[in-house]
Structures are given as structure tokens and as C-alpha cells.
Amino acid sequence: MTEMSSAASAAAVGTTGFKAPGTTPQNTPRGFAAALAGANFGVYLAVLTPVLVSMAFKIQHITPNPADINGNIGLVFGVGALFALIANPLAGRLSDRTTSRFGMRRPWILGGAIVGLGGLALIGVATSVWMVLIAWCLVQASLNAVLAAANATLPDQVPVESRGSVSGIVGITTPLGILAGSFIVNFLPGDFERFVVPGAIALVLAVLFVLVLKDRRLAGKPADKFTIGTFFGSFVFNPRKNPDFGWTWLTKFFVMFGYAGIAAFLPRYLTESFHLAEQDVIGIILLANVASTVAMVISSPLGGILSDKFGKRRPFVAIAGAIMVVGLVVLAFAPSVAFIIVGQAIIGLGAGSFFSVDLALATQVLPNPDDTAKDLGVLNMANALPQSIAPAIAPTIIAIGATTPLGGYTTWYLFGAIVALAGAVLVYRIKGVK
């Protein structure tokens, strides 16, 4: 992607004030980074609060047989993540083709946030696992559409040389969303409030971003029609034609498996292995997330700034992945709750740098600047897919591990560490980015 001349840039903007697809931004619009970070924070608050805290207890409350709890958690998270997997690239591709006078991205950001809040409210009042499953699929689809459209505005609005810094700011939103969700849950009395309050906050922040965003707008309808082939093309890419894009996808998938894929079972780990009550578990998760957030707030902007300064992405991604592996090993062998907190802090230190630099790296390997949202959506499948596969296989691995001297949850966390280590190594297969 090369810089445009001032004249060409002005011509691309035209009289509408909306920048045309495929052009390179000259400057980051004022207030854009903060508003984008706010929108991401809201989505992560709404999605990760159930993943890390609320959902396990919701399912526990409505599951008659305790032996079915882990299986039901795996079912809900696994199927829900498949909807995220589909929605992210599909919404990205559709937003690339959206001709609304409201802009290309804004209808998806606002509409997704509204639908997401409705789905979270349904979970709050659900009385059966099937009702929770259906509502969670709706939440995953709608809020991942928000993420696809919102994060596609990064290459729309920010020059290449500034993306590490901006994505570093955005990267902080993941731990802040986790921390805020853990904190809020402590003060909410029941399941309904634990789901609706984060969703309402996400909607407010999405509205604020929409108001700030000077969105791109297509001058006319795309020349090609949206066909069945185009639909399936939303989920695929040619790794031979774009090998760097393929290796970036695999790196993200493996590291995210270690980070997000195993997180859903932390409440069960604390309950079963450390024999803690529900409210005690919520308190420990809050402390662990405070430690993780402090580490991520330090490492996320630092990783982005340093990667911009040195003009390198791969070393920072690799080091971040290796640090996360260390944290997972600490969790696996934690002899006390204190070590759970330490392990989470170490994971946060690595994850903060990974989230910021990985996003900057991803924007430099996109195959087509006119399909930015679609391609970022394909990459975001690597975020969603581990959250589908991991819960699906977790009960089996935990059960197998329980028959060994290591124990079920130790085996599960070690498995996550091995997968994350593979991601840290694979980043060096990317050749087009230093």
C-alpha cells in the first residue's frame, strides 16, 4: 500500500467527505482511536463477561444434573463460536459492499450492537440450555458483525506507519473489557443483570463510535453481484497465492486457542480443583483479571509503539506468544489460588503485546485493499474458531487427564500451552513483514 498524492487523495474524498475504497489515509482523524477503542471495549465487555464468568454460572443454575454442566458449557460456547466464525467474515464482506448513505461500516456497527443487547437479554431470562444456546448464537453473530465492521475502519482511517500505535490502544480494550466485566458482575444480583448491563454499555459505546466515525461511502453499487459463490468466498482464501496471509491466520489461531479457547473453564477449575463457592470464584476471577489487565495495559501500547519504532512485527508476536505459554504452564501446575492470579498476570503480559502487534501485522498482509473488512473477517475466524473447537474437545481432554497423575484441568492447560507455542513459532513463516 503506497501513499497517495494530496490531489489524488482529495479527488478520492470528493464532495461527500467520505473516503473512497482502496485509498491510503494521510492522517488519523481526531478522536478516531479513542472512539474505536471504546467500541471494541463495549463488544469485549458484552462477549467476554459471559465467557469468563456469567455463562458458566447461568448454565449451572439451569442444569438439573451436575454431571452435565461441563458438557452444556462446551455445547453453548462451541456452537455459539461457530456463529461468530460465520458472521465475522460475512458481515465484513457485506460491509465492504454496503451502499447506505449512512456509510459502509456504521449500519453494521449500530445494528449489531442493538441485536446483541436483545440476545443477551434473552439469555438472562432463559430457563433452558437450548434457549441459552439459541440466544448466545444470536449474540455471537451480531457482536462479531460489530467487530468486523469496526476494525475494518483501522486501515480505512489510519496510515500504515501509525497502525501499531492505534492498534496498541485498541489492544488494551480486551483486558479492560475482561476486568470491567469481572468487576461489574460482583455488584449485579442475578443472571439477567449480569448479561444485560454489559450489553447496554456496548450499545452506548457503539453509538458514540458511529457519531464520531467519518465513514467511507461507496459512490454506487458494486459491479459484481453478491452470489452464492461470493457468500462462500467470504470464508476462504488462497494460501498459495497469499502465503503470508495464511501463516498469519494460523499464528493467530494457535495463540488464540491458548488464550481464549481455554478460558471458559476457569470457573469450573476453581470450583472443582480448589473447592470454592460461586461468590468466592467470582472474587478470585476479579483479582486474576486485575492482575492480567495491569500487565496488558503495560504491554499492549508498549508492544505497538516499539514495533512501529523498530519497524518489526514478528519478534514481538513470537515473544508475546512465548510469554503466554509460561503463564499457561503456571496455571496448569498452580498449587494455590495465588498462583492462578500470577499465571493470569503472565498471560496478560504476553496477550497485551500480541493483540496490539498482531492487528498491525494483519493489516500489512491483506490480499486486497478493496476487501479490507472481508479479509479481516477471515482473519477474525482465527479468533472465533478456537472458541468453538476448544469447548467442544475440552470435556474429553479433561476426562482423559483425570485418569492420569496430572489431573484433568492440568492436562487441559498444558494442551493449551503447547498449541500457543506452535503459534509463536509459526509467525516466522511470514516473509513479507519483518
Side-chain angles (χ1 to χ4, degrees), residues 69-301:
I69 293 174
N70 279 356
N72 287 338
I73 292 172
L75 174 67
V76 171
F77 283 140
V79 178
L82 286 177
F83 277 75
L85 180 71
I86 295 170
N88 207 302
L90 178 59
R93 165 152 285 194
L94 290 174
S95 77
D96 283 334
R97 303 169 59 86
T98 297
T99 58
S100 167
R101 295 183 64 184
F102 196 46
M104 297 173 67
R105 317 298 185 193
R106 292 195 287 190
W108 296 92
I109 296 169
L110 182 58
I114 293 171
V115 175
L117 175 58
L120 288 166
L122 286 176
I123 296 173
V125 300
T127 57
S128 71
V129 172
W130 288 108
M131 186 174 178
V132 169
L133 173 62
I134 293 169
W136 182 242
C137 291
L138 182 65
V139 170
Q140 283 281 34
S142 58
L143 293 182
N144 271 273
V146 176
L147 279 181
N151 287 333
T153 63
L154 179 65
D156 286 353
Q157 306 284 333
V158 181
V160 172
E161 64 273 12
S162 299
R163 290 178 191 170
S165 300
V166 174
S167 63
I169 296 172
V170 174
I172 298 174
T173 62
T174 301
L176 290 180
I178 293 171
L179 177 60
S182 303
F183 180 79
I184 290 171
V185 165
N186 272 274
F187 299 97
L188 298 176
D191 288 330
F192 182 77
E193 295 85 355
R194 290 175 182 178
F195 286 94
V196 169
V197 170
I201 294 172
L203 176 58
V204 170
L205 292 173
V207 170
L208 291 176
F209 181 49
V210 163
L211 293 175
V212 169
L213 179 63
K214 296 179 180 179
D215 200 4
R216 299 194 319 178
R217 191 172 72 190
L218 291 178
K221 293 183 178 180
D224 58 320
K225 294 182 179 180
F226 192 78
T227 63
I228 296 297
T230 305
F231 172 82
F232 285 108
S234 300
F235 314 113
V236 299
F237 61 92
N238 188 337
R240 291 187 177 181
K241 186 177 180 181
N242 302 286
D244 282 351
F245 189 74
W247 289 118
T248 301
W249 195 98
L250 283 176
T251 296
K252 182 187 288 287
F253 173 86
F254 285 130
V255 174
M256 288 305 297
F257 186 101
Y259 178 76
I262 64 171
F265 287 87
L266 183 58
R268 298 292 295 163
Y269 181 30
L270 290 169
T271 299
E272 293 189 13
S273 298
F274 296 91
H275 310 291
L276 299 176
E278 179 176 321
Q279 197 58 42
D280 293 331
V281 169
I282 292 174
I284 295 301
I285 290 176
L286 173 59
L287 290 176
N289 286 335
V290 168
S292 178
T293 299
V294 170
M296 292 181 83
V297 166
I298 294 171
S299 66
S300 184

Side-chain angles (χ1 to χ4, degrees), residues 339-417:
F339 280 85
I340 297 291
I341 297 171
V342 171
Q344 287 287 84
I346 296 172
I347 292 172
L349 189 67
S353 180
F354 177 80
F355 290 143
S356 62
V357 182
D358 173 70
L359 180 57
L361 185 154
T363 64
Q364 293 178 240
V365 298
L366 299 179
N368 186 351
D370 290 334
D371 282 333
T372 296
K374 176 262 182 182
D375 292 330
L376 284 175
V378 170
L379 281 175
N380 279 327
M381 290 167 64
N383 289 336
L385 195 56
Q387 297 175 57
S388 178
I389 294 175
I393 66 175
T396 300
I397 293 178
I398 292 171
I400 293 172
T403 65
T404 70
L406 287 175
Y409 289 100
T410 296
T411 302
W412 177 233
Y413 283 107
L414 286 178
F415 182 78

